[in-house]
Amino acid sequence: MDLKEINAKIEEKSSFVNTLNTEIHKKIIGQDYMIRRILIALFTNGHILVEGVPGLAKTLTIDTIARIISLDFKRIQFTPDLLPADLTGGLIYNEQNKEFEPKKGPIFTNILLADEVNRAPAKVQAAMLESMQEKQVTLGNTTLELPSPFFVLATQNPIEQEGTYQLPEAQMDRFMLKLKVDYPNKSQEREIMDLHGVNRNIELNQILKPEDIIDIRETIDNLYVEDSIKDYILNIVFATRDPERYGLSELANYIDFGASPRASIYILKAAKASAFLNRRGYVVPDDIKEIAKDVLRHRTILSFEAEAENIDSDNVIEEILANIEVP
């Protein structure tokens, strides 16, 4: 299939995008950045970690998307006393047949909102992250497949650190994207007041079905990516590991560990999804630039020197993007 045919196919397959966004914005004012990233991850079989203060419509957004796509949605409030079985389920003794039977936990859903994931102990975090990776849960001797599609949106509250268990870097690597969600602007907040300041029932139309997500994923896999674009991705990722090789010696003291190979894979996948949402059958450098920070910010581990100089991973990634040659 040549590029012209691919482009025509993508344009046809992505015809729902504008309608989907319009439907979402019936209930959600602003938050275009978060909405677009959720769709990118959902359409590429990835998961998202969101850092933002409470009240930024994270739950409302993901619940709205779930309704529009007719996906099963569950929310779990992570707390210090949460047990792995509270998430995955466990074995229940059946008096009638004198056997233990698996009882599914709330993780058996299409979309799971793991609220304040850093408040739960390491064992609970590990149970969730293992399920995210393997798409299955083992209860006793029984292995149960999770529903398809399966998508996790985990949140962290950046302003309350007391009583929290920081996600280890190796665990965070399982998330495709890490988002930093900020407050709406003044005009958007006025619209939010007008929309949600009174009780009203907003009807949402179903735009997609769960099986459509699987089809969209296959379509995105077939988008055209030039070798020069793949090299561009590799140069960005390798610059986080060996900045001096790319003429960025000033960054060497700020980076302890560069991004893992998952970063290259996820940048490619997310860039394809970005092109799809733009109704384009091929990836361009702007698709890479759009999602690079979200893929790399939790995979680029900075030194104490960077922290002392108030430099964060976004600053480092911006410098890399500004200096790596664009194809």
Side-chain angles (χ1 to χ4, degrees):
M1 191 183 294
D2 64 22
L3 183 55
K4 190 174 180 181
E5 289 175 317
I6 293 171
N7 218 34
K9 184 182 177 183
I10 296 302
E11 196 165 331
E12 178 192 344
K13 289 280 189 179
S14 61
S15 58
F16 67 88
V17 169
N18 291 340
T19 309
L20 179 66
N21 281 318
T22 300
E23 204 65 25
I24 292 169
H25 284 297
K26 280 185 179 179
K27 292 190 78 170
I28 309 299
I29 306 298
Q31 297 299 6
D32 294 332
Y33 162 76
M34 179 168 63
I35 291 167
R36 186 174 173 89
R37 279 9 177 228
I38 288 172
L39 294 177
I40 284 172
L42 186 59
F43 291 164
T44 52
N45 203 16
H47 307 284
I48 289 181
L49 179 64
V50 178
E51 190 172 282
V53 298
L56 297 181
K58 297 183 288 289
T59 304
L60 182 61
T61 300
I62 197 66
D63 180 51
T64 301
I65 291 172
R67 289 173 187 271
I68 291 169
I69 305 178
S70 202
L71 295 172
D72 188 27
F73 166 67
K74 290 190 175 75
R75 174 185 175 276
I76 301 176
Q77 179 64 51
F78 278 53
T79 56
D81 60 348
L82 200 69
L83 300 173
D86 296 328
L87 181 68
T88 60
L91 297 174
I92 303 296
Y93 186 68
N94 188 322
E95 285 283 356
Q96 292 180 332
N97 57 21
K98 309 297 182 185
E99 291 181 354
F100 285 95
E101 296 178 349
K103 181 177 179 359
K104 293 180 179 180
I107 201 168
F108 287 88
T109 184
N110 293 122
I111 295 181
L112 177 72
L113 174 60
D115 218 357
E116 294 192 294
V117 67
N118 55 332
R119 289 206 171 278
K123 282 185 179 180
V124 179
Q125 294 177 0
M128 184 188 75
L129 292 161
E130 182 183 357
S131 301
M132 286 164 50
Q133 185 72 15
E134 306 299 331
K135 303 293 193 296
Q136 64 185 28
V137 171
T138 301
L139 301 176
N141 295 322
T142 306
T143 299
L144 303 172
E145 297 288 327
L146 290 167
S148 183
F150 175 66
F151 169 70
V152 173
L153 179 75
T155 71
Q156 288 189 144
N157 182 347
I159 59 174
E160 287 184 28
Q161 295 305 321
E162 190 175 341
T164 61
Y165 302 80
Q166 188 62 38
L167 280 170
E169 281 79 6
Q171 302 275 43
M172 285 201 289
D173 198 40
R174 306 278 182 92
F175 290 97
M176 181 183 204
L177 309 174
K178 181 183 178 184
L179 314 184
K180 286 188 174 180
V181 181
D182 209 348
Y183 294 106
N185 62 40
K186 197 171 183 180
S187 63
Q188 288 171 340
E189 193 149 344
R190 174 59 185 265
E191 286 185 62
I192 292 168
M193 287 171 59
D194 291 340
L195 181 63
H196 297 290
V198 294
N199 292 323
R200 67 175 72 184
N201 184 29
I202 300 172
E203 293 290 334
L204 295 172
N205 298 310
Q206 183 184 334
I207 305 300
L208 298 171
K209 300 189 289 292
E211 53 267 31
D212 292 330
I213 302 298
I214 310 302
D215 182 52
I216 289 166
R217 288 175 178 176
E218 291 175 2
T219 301
I220 287 172
D221 279 343
N222 293 320
L223 259 74
Y224 178 74
V225 185
E226 277 191 358
D227 287 343
S228 61
I229 295 290
K230 292 178 182 178
D231 290 337
Y232 182 48
I233 294 170
L234 289 172
N235 287 337
I236 291 168
V237 173
F238 272 70
T240 69
R241 302 175 195 168
D242 187 6
E244 290 174 324
R245 182 180 167 189
Y246 292 87
L248 294 162
S249 53
E250 70 278 6
L251 296 183
N253 293 331
Y254 297 144
I255 302 174
D256 269 351
F257 298 97
S260 73
R262 275 199 186 109
S264 304
I265 297 167
Y266 284 152
I267 289 176
L268 178 62
K269 286 187 170 187
K272 285 182 175 182
S274 173
F276 177 85
L277 290 174
N278 288 331
R279 307 192 63 192
R280 200 183 336 104
Y282 54 92
V283 174
V284 298
D286 282 348
D287 296 319
I288 311 298
K289 292 177 180 179
E290 180 193 347
I291 49 79
K293 275 190 196 175
D294 302 313
V295 175
L296 293 172
R297 65 164 52 100
H298 55 303
R299 293 184 166 88
T300 308
I301 313 305
L302 302 188
S303 64
F304 287 115
E305 187 174 338
E307 191 176 339
E309 295 188 30
N310 206 26
I311 291 170
D312 63 16
S313 55
D314 282 10
N315 301 138
V316 170
I317 298 160
E318 283 167 7
E319 189 67 20
I320 289 171
L321 290 173
N323 285 275
I324 296 295
E325 186 179 351
V326 179

